[in-house]
Amino acid sequence: MGNERTIAYFSMEIGLEAGMPTYSGGLGILAGDTIRSAADLKVPMVAMTLLHRRGYFYQRLDPEGWQREEPVQWVVEDFLEKMPHRVSVTMDGRSVHICSWRYEVVGIGGYKVPVYFLDSDLQENSEWDRTLTHFLYGGDQYYRLCQEVILGIGGVRMLRALSYHNIERFHMNEGHASLLTLELLDEETKKAGRKSITQDDIEAVRGKCIFTTHTPVPAGHDQFPIDLVRRVIGPRGDFFDMEDVFSADLVRRILRSRETFREMKDILQSENVLNLTYLALSLSHYVNGVAKKHGEVSRLMFAEYIIDAITNGVHAATWVSEPFQELYDRHIPGWKQDNFSLRYALSIPKKEVWDVHNRAKKRLIQYVNHQTNIGMDVDLLTIGFARRAATYKRVDLLFTDIERLSEISSKVGFLQVIYAGKAHPQDQGGKELIKRIFQVKELLKKDIKIAYLENYDMEFGKMIVSGVDIWLNTPQPPLEASGTSGMKAALNGVPSLSVLDGWWIEGHIEGITGWSIGEGGPDRSKDAISLYEKLEQVVLPMFYQDRDRFIDVMLHCIALNGSFFNTHRMMQQYVLNAYFR
Ligand SMILES: *Cc1c(COP(=O)(O)O)cnc(C)c1O
């Protein structure tokens, strides 16, 4: 604190440890990696999120592969320190009291970034309000909106209560946090002793806000019926007159100052909904997508706005397996502080890289065999696929033609496949996909060993990205904004076999850092054919018959992609282009 110009980072989910179920997938992991890099690089930051006392969920899969969700029981006190400060927000005419819990992320040099988890489970609140910070992405729209009020409005109030008065920038990690802009507008009007918002207030707030959009998938952009928003946060809220926000006049003023003006109903309130992405876009002076291609796609989606791109990364020291950490420590001392130096990986002797990879692989295979009793073989080419089981990720692309696949495996070289991933509790399509993998697993039992591990989390994530030989990625272009698991694999010398989408468009050099699938178009059957051809003609032959070249690809993964697709490089770009500009 003190006089440091602090960045306040707001995210609905943050992945800090496997034991804390406060994340669901890539967005939360990215938030955690961002904070870890800020701590390593001594960037003054404070992070705000919700406690998620019952977690995302614990995934169980029955013998048919049907997913059942269990609330997670975690002992909050074992991880976090309770803070004495209290704030409240008014929602739907009720006062909801909020406290917070503190976690400290400590960087390599000892620098600390605090993370505050907001918690409404207090005796003063009604039974229902106490559940508001229980479930990540749970409940209906009303529940979600209340959660976002706690995060955005309660979060800013909590920062002030914690004596953070010198915030340089508010960084909204996805639109879930964008209600914080309303609290900042309110602060401006109060400072001036007014009840209504002026152009100056809007400019002041915009000068403080940064927004990162993370997905072109519509479900990723929150929107709430205007009537619901009115009911929850206005007009009887403890705010400036909320009708201001809904009035055509304000919207027009927000937009006019952007020089481009479109009808209000198209922007903030299309068909009487408040779109939180537009709210964040309109009140931020810097907006970015999370890969170059995603920047382009976002500029098409939101043509009125200037949108930059900062490609995601991963926190190297978090995602590199222990055997590889020892190898890097020996050959590239200082790599944890200076991720760029991983470019020198090219000079590591191939035999050492192969030995270290096999140590990581053995650990994974032993774990998988222990969990599933499937009897996988460490010497076989092992493909890994672990992701949220969202339909656009196309987890079943590999099984488009299972006869062809089993023929390739028996004729060219045996392969085995390890899967993991949770479907959102309300995503029936995603759940069906998991069942489909279980069906194919039975069908191919004699030819190809397939395992599906329960409850994908950070811990198993680290094990699988470092222990397989090939990382498979098959989203439907252009829906994968960035993707980060392939970056974790690259840091462990594991090449990607991936559709040309997200970060892979930037990280892919054919035959050097891995292999592409298809041409980046939307045609599923073309992608499936391309996938089989690459396996049959390139990947399997190289793995079994030209091991030396395969290891060469592994080295280039580390040197070209590990050295670049990390959150240290990413954080430096945020600092230069967004935070302190
Ligand atoms: C890295 C990671 C993700 C994100 O992976 P994507 O490839 O971006 O989908 C999701 N869940 C866990 C547990 C992870 O470690």
Side-chain angles (χ1 to χ4, degrees):
M1 276 177 274
N3 287 321
E4 274 182 332
R5 301 147 77 207
T6 305
I7 305 301
Y9 184 81
F10 279 65
S11 185
M12 184 55 91
E13 48 171 313
I14 300 183
L16 294 171
E17 297 183 24
M20 295 169 60
T22 54
Y23 62 94
S24 90
L27 184 71
I29 302 284
L30 177 83
D33 283 356
T34 299
I35 295 162
R36 284 183 273 274
S37 281
D40 286 347
L41 300 174
K42 302 191 169 73
V43 175
M45 182 180 269
V46 52
M48 199 52 78
T49 186
L50 301 192
L51 183 59
H52 308 304
R53 204 179 264 278
R54 297 285 172 268
Y56 184 49
F57 63 88
Y58 192 96
Q59 180 197 46
R60 297 252 185 229
L61 297 171
D62 74 11
E64 272 77 55
W66 190 246
Q67 172 178 297
R68 271 172 318 179
E69 301 91 24
E70 296 175 3
V72 187
Q73 307 295 336
W74 63 294
V75 183
V76 173
E77 291 80 0
D78 287 355
F79 297 87
L80 306 173
E81 177 202 350
K82 190 167 191 169
M83 304 300 286
H85 315 74
R86 295 288 169 92
V87 298
S88 65
V89 290
T90 306
M91 285 188 290
D92 209 353
R94 315 182 302 275
S95 257
V96 177
H97 302 273
I98 305 164
C99 73
S100 70
W101 298 76
R102 180 185 166 97
Y103 183 98
E104 264 178 3
V105 175
V106 184
I108 307 166
Y111 189 83
K112 291 172 184 155
V113 172
V115 182
Y116 292 98
F117 292 81
L118 299 167
D119 181 9
S120 70
D121 196 347
L122 296 169
Q123 269 178 356
E124 312 71 305
N125 292 329
S126 73
E127 278 305 307
W128 194 80
D129 287 340
R130 293 180 67 162
T131 69
L132 282 175
T133 52
H134 281 185
F135 296 100
L136 173 60
Y137 305 137
D140 56 10
Q141 280 210 308
Y142 182 75
Y143 183 84
R144 290 284 291 275
L145 180 57
C146 290
Q147 286 194 322
E148 296 188 11
V149 170
I150 293 178
L151 177 64
I153 296 168
V156 173
R157 290 182 186 174
M158 185 58 76
L159 279 179
R160 303 309 187 200
L162 291 161
S163 300
Y164 283 94
H165 299 294
N166 200 8
I167 302 276
E168 181 82 9
R169 296 281 191 270
F170 290 82
H171 185 170
M172 293 172 267
N173 189 43
E174 196 48 292
H176 311 125
S178 65
L179 294 177
L180 73 83
T181 58
L182 301 185
E183 177 67 9
L184 295 180
L185 280 171
D186 191 50
E187 287 187 347
E188 292 300 321
T189 57
K190 286 215 175 86
K191 239 189 313 185
R194 275 184 273 100
K195 271 252 165 205
S196 62
I197 305 167
T198 65
Q199 189 62 39
D200 287 348
D201 299 335
I202 293 169
E203 291 304 333
V205 170
R206 195 177 278 147
K208 288 182 195 158
C209 292
I210 288 163
F211 173 49
T212 302
T213 175
H214 284 269
T215 179
V217 179
H221 297 266
D222 271 333
Q223 41 186 21
F224 298 101
I226 266 303
D227 289 342
L228 182 67
V229 180
R230 271 213 179 89
R231 193 177 128 205
V232 173
I233 50 178
R236 288 179 301 147
D238 42 350
F239 255 113
F240 57 79
D241 189 356
M242 274 304 303
E243 284 308 309
D244 254 16
V245 170
F246 308 123
S247 76
D249 184 49
L250 175 81
V251 175
R252 224 170 260 130
R253 272 184 287 141
I254 290 177
L255 297 173
R256 188 169 296 141
S257 55
R258 292 228 139 254
E259 286 167 26
T260 49
F261 172 73
R262 262 174 42 182
E263 279 303 305
M264 160 198 102
K265 69 175 181 17
D266 291 344
I267 302 294
L268 284 187
Q269 315 182 1
S270 59
E271 284 144 43
N272 276 325
V273 298
L274 177 69
N275 182 317
L276 293 195
T277 300
Y278 279 118
L279 182 63
L281 284 166
S282 303
L283 285 165
S284 296
H285 71 284
Y286 178 88
V287 179
N288 71 291
V290 291
K292 298 227 183 298
K293 172 77 174 185
H294 179 235
E296 283 170 32
V297 172
S298 301
R299 285 191 285 275
L300 291 176
M301 289 174 69
F302 311 113
E304 320 284 315
Y305 300 89
I306 297 167
I307 302 179
D308 197 12
I310 295 179
T311 303
N312 280 164
V314 296
H315 186 255
T318 298
W319 295 106
V320 172
S321 69
E322 277 67 33
F324 263 98
Q325 298 224 6
E326 289 163 22
L327 182 77
Y328 295 156
D329 284 344
R330 260 184 283 130
H331 290 274
I332 316 174
W335 66 278
K336 280 187 193 170
Q337 290 90 327
D338 177 10
N339 293 173
F340 294 126
S341 63
L342 287 169
R343 69 195 302 276
Y344 304 118
L346 288 182
S347 60
I348 302 176
K350 286 186 177 170
K351 186 180 174 315
E352 286 189 47
V353 170
W354 188 246
D355 286 350
V356 160
H357 170 65
N358 277 300
R359 271 169 59 203
K361 185 172 177 183
K362 211 176 220 163
R363 268 186 59 198
L364 170 70
I365 300 289
Q366 281 173 357
Y367 178 80
V368 169
N369 286 342
H370 180 262
Q371 293 294 307
T372 64
N373 193 26
I374 191 157
M376 283 195 175
D377 181 344
V378 186
D379 294 326
L380 298 193
L381 181 120
T382 306
I383 295 178
F385 189 111
R387 265 169 205 88
R388 283 183 304 116
T391 39
Y392 84 88
K393 303 251 189 193
R394 302 193 300 192
V395 299
D396 59 340
L397 190 79
L398 182 65
F399 301 141
T400 307
D401 182 348
I402 54 178
E403 271 159 38
R404 173 103 203 260
L405 184 68
S406 83
E407 198 183 288
I408 292 171
S409 180
S410 57
K411 288 198 179 139
V412 189
F414 291 118
L415 52 86
Q416 53 196 10
V417 194
I418 303 171
Y419 278 96
K422 299 176 183 178
H424 185 277
Q426 271 132 40
D427 180 4
Q428 293 308 310
K431 289 184 176 182
E432 291 294 339
L433 282 175
I434 300 177
K435 270 176 78 176
R436 164 98 180 121
I437 308 293
F438 270 65
Q439 283 160 3
V440 176
K441 179 161 81 87
E442 277 307 297
L443 285 172
L444 286 178
K445 200 155 66 182
K446 295 212 178 59
D447 307 314
I448 299 176
K449 290 194 163 138
I450 298 165
Y452 201 114
L453 278 282
E454 280 180 326
N455 200 47
Y456 180 38
D457 65 5
M458 288 179 71
E459 197 176 332
F460 183 67
K462 182 168 180 170
M463 207 188 275
I464 186 172
V465 292
S466 61
V468 295
D469 299 305
I470 296 289
W471 192 249
L472 182 65
N473 184 40
T474 53
Q476 178 190 325
L479 298 183
E480 187 65 283
S482 167
T484 51
S485 55
M487 302 174 183
K488 301 170 194 165
L491 275 162
N492 286 284
V494 173
S496 285
L497 171 58
S498 169
V499 159
L500 283 168
D501 200 12
W503 81 280
W504 188 235
I505 296 172
E506 296 163 58
H508 159 257
I509 306 173
E510 187 68 14
I512 306 284
T513 58
W515 303 273
S516 63
I517 298 167
E519 281 146 22
D523 189 335
R524 183 187 165 108
S525 59
K526 271 193 190 157
D527 283 352
I529 291 167
S530 168
L531 168 56
Y532 294 134
E533 285 175 358
K534 282 281 156 77
L535 279 175
E536 180 176 41
Q537 290 157 27
V538 185
V539 180
L540 281 162
M542 193 189 289
F543 181 83
Y544 284 113
Q545 289 143 40
D546 195 354
R547 189 61 50 85
D548 214 53
R549 260 191 76 201
F550 190 86
I551 302 171
D552 213 44
V553 174
M554 294 174 68
L555 283 171
H556 282 87
C557 283
I558 304 163
L560 293 176
N561 287 347
S563 68
F564 184 83
F565 295 98
N566 54 70
T567 36
H568 280 193
R569 183 267 314 153
M570 184 194 86
M571 179 52 59
Q572 292 176 34
Q573 290 183 314
Y574 276 104
V575 165
L576 291 174
N577 301 338
Y579 290 167
F580 298 116
R581 195 179 60 165

